[in-house]
Amino acid sequence: MRGNIAQLMQQAQKMQENMQRVQQELANLEVEGSAGGGMVAVTLTGNKECRKVRIDPSVLTDPEMAEDLIAAAFNDASNKIDTESKNRMAGATAGMPLPPGMKLPF
């Protein structure tokens, strides 16, 4: 029984190290989301900090449309980060399912 506990502790330690590595990778990640066929693009970090916004000048003639496209581009980038985070964390946790409602990174 002690061997099993020691083995579980080693697995938990390895999983924790993998998760820390993935969290660092995600923090350094930059993702671009776009809307309007590329007329608006937003670049976010893995922590969802906005790094860059690019807007085609033709969009600026309609402020309401510009607002909608910026929001859509931001949401596109955010969804891409969520997907990438989920994929990388699944690898770090070796497919171990997390309890409902628990999200990583914390």
Side-chain angles (χ1 to χ4, degrees):
M1 176 132 173
R2 283 190 175 166
N4 290 341
I5 292 174
Q7 185 178 10
L8 283 173
M9 293 299 289
Q10 286 177 338
Q11 288 175 336
Q13 176 72 27
K14 182 173 177 156
M15 186 176 77
Q16 182 180 15
E17 290 169 1
N18 287 341
M19 288 175 57
Q20 288 173 341
R21 178 185 48 80
V22 169
Q23 286 175 338
Q24 184 60 43
E25 289 173 4
L26 288 171
N28 294 330
L29 180 70
E30 286 195 358
V31 174
E32 183 177 286
S34 63
M39 294 177 76
V40 174
V42 174
T43 302
L44 299 179
T45 67
N47 293 330
K48 296 188 180 180
E49 295 174 353
C50 188
R51 289 284 184 223
K52 182 177 173 185
V53 176
R54 186 184 49 75
I55 303 171
D56 187 289
S58 65
V59 174
L60 299 175
T61 60
D62 184 350
E64 189 173 314
M65 181 176 73
E67 291 171 0
D68 291 344
L69 290 175
I70 292 167
F74 183 92
N75 290 335
D76 183 42
S78 179
N79 290 334
K80 288 178 180 179
I81 290 169
D82 290 343
T83 299
E84 186 66 22
S85 178
K86 186 182 293 185
N87 291 340
R88 290 187 187 200
M89 282 297 175
T93 60
M96 185 176 101
L98 297 174
M102 185 174 186
K103 289 180 69 178
L104 294 174
F106 301 107

